[in-house]
Amino acid sequence: MTQKPEPHHETDGDVYVSPRHLASTTGIGDPAFAPLLDLGWSIEHDDHGNAYTNAPDLKVRVGYLPEGEDDGLWRINAYRDPFGPPTWGTCFKDRTPTEFVTAFTTALATAYEQGPDAYLARPVAGVDEHEPFLAVVPLLKQGWEIDRPRWGVFAIQAPDGLAGIEFTTGDLDPEAELSTRNARWQLWAGKSIDRPVWYATASTDTPVALLTAVTECVADPAPLPRWRQDTYSYIKGDAQLTPILPPAPTPLDVRRAVASRRPAALPAASVPRWSTTSRPALSGPRR
């Protein structure tokens, strides 16, 4: 049975989407920018509707590109030298669930505060927290299965077959990793990796902690809230939609509601009595 979070007044949506990898974008960039802006980073907009934020030392750059040249909505790069090529880069397609991007930027904000040893920490096999395998552990714990779809590729596939993550071995072209889907890591959802509804890529030297933040968010069994009418915000036909019900009133809520309806200026004997078979009088109480 799908685990459902406790509904509350801040839930933004009228349906829960499960599993959450079958959700899509909320169409809002603010949540993913927020962890970085909270560090005091500035945000700029161009004439085309794109938005950018940079670390004060220009060693981390984030672009939100709804009017970009391809379907990469988010492009995030980090640098050892702000005037050199990126040390690592990630890309999130325009339909990637906003929560997954936010998980990445939240971890990135934490790593940036810790310094270059954190946000530029390259994966190293067999070395404690830098072991690349750690990035897929959250998925394996939720029943995703290891596969070898083709030579040189390890894959972890969701139980429903509608999402997966691939890790490519061997030498890769650094420029291609940053500008195409031919990257070390690729996370996707849809009928197949060849035609995904959404995807996210990460180049070879992307820190394991940042990758793991995303896979932990993907693996979370709690569904994501969306608006049913916004069909772009989930994979229609595959996602399970469950109505979000308002919370049941507590005894205190009931007492407050009754008290708010009671005419305070009338003595108890003069309060009109309503029944379930008659409508309340439209005039005031009879004298």
Side-chain angles (χ1 to χ4, degrees):
M1 180 177 296
T2 302
Q3 179 179 341
K4 186 178 298 181
E6 290 296 325
H8 54 82
H9 69 281
E10 294 179 353
T11 298
D12 188 13
D14 59 11
V15 292
Y16 286 121
V17 176
S18 60
R20 58 172 43 201
H21 57 257
L22 296 184
S24 183
T25 180
T26 60
I28 301 174
D30 294 356
F33 271 124
L36 304 172
L37 300 185
D38 287 345
L39 296 183
W41 298 16
S42 60
I43 189 168
E44 300 178 359
H45 300 81
D46 64 19
D47 296 335
H48 304 290
N50 301 312
Y52 308 85
T53 186
N54 301 321
D57 59 6
L58 301 181
K59 289 187 177 181
V60 178
R61 302 172 189 172
V62 178
Y64 176 71
L65 313 170
E67 299 301 325
E69 298 179 353
D70 54 28
D71 59 6
L73 180 62
W74 292 91
R75 291 194 178 276
I76 305 171
N77 296 329
Y79 305 77
R80 293 190 184 280
D81 178 349
F83 301 103
T87 300
W88 60 257
T90 60
C91 175
F92 295 88
K93 187 180 183 292
D94 52 9
R95 290 196 63 185
T96 305
T98 307
E99 292 84 353
F100 301 169
V101 186
T102 303
F104 186 91
T105 57
T106 299
L108 176 58
T110 298
Y112 184 80
E113 286 193 297
Q114 294 172 350
D117 288 344
Y119 70 83
L120 294 177
R122 59 189 304 272
V124 181
V127 178
D128 298 333
E129 70 271 20
H130 303 305
E131 165 61 57
F133 179 75
L134 292 177
V136 302
V137 170
L139 302 173
L140 295 175
K141 288 182 176 179
Q142 292 300 321
W144 291 43
E145 297 183 351
I146 296 178
D147 189 17
R148 291 294 299 272
R150 55 194 180 278
W151 185 86
V153 174
F154 290 90
I156 312 294
Q157 192 169 44
D160 62 5
L162 295 175
I165 185 171
E166 291 195 351
F167 175 84
T168 301
T169 63
D171 296 330
L172 298 177
D173 181 344
E175 289 190 16
E177 284 199 83
L178 298 173
S179 58
T180 72
R181 289 173 58 196
N182 297 321
R184 184 70 63 191
W185 295 92
Q186 183 172 184
L187 177 66
W188 60 276
K191 299 294 186 182
S192 75
I193 192 173
D194 297 321
R195 300 186 65 182
V197 173
W198 63 260
Y199 67 80
T201 62
S203 68
T204 297
D205 287 339
T206 305
V208 172
L210 307 187
L211 296 170
T212 304
V214 177
T215 57
E216 285 179 343
C217 190
V218 175
D220 190 333
L224 296 176
R226 294 291 188 267
W227 295 102
R228 185 185 295 271
Q229 64 183 10
D230 296 337
T231 55
Y232 65 84
S233 69
Y234 52 90
I235 301 180
K236 193 174 181 181
D238 292 319
Q240 178 182 337
L241 306 182
T242 305
I244 295 177
L245 301 177
T250 66
L252 179 59
D253 292 332
V254 173
R255 290 198 297 271
R256 287 174 174 169
V258 172
S260 67
R261 299 192 192 105
R262 183 176 297 132
L266 295 176
S270 299
V271 177
R273 299 181 184 275
W274 295 5
S275 74
T276 58
T277 58
S278 63
R279 299 178 59 186
L282 299 180
S283 59
R286 186 175 300 172
R287 296 184 182 279

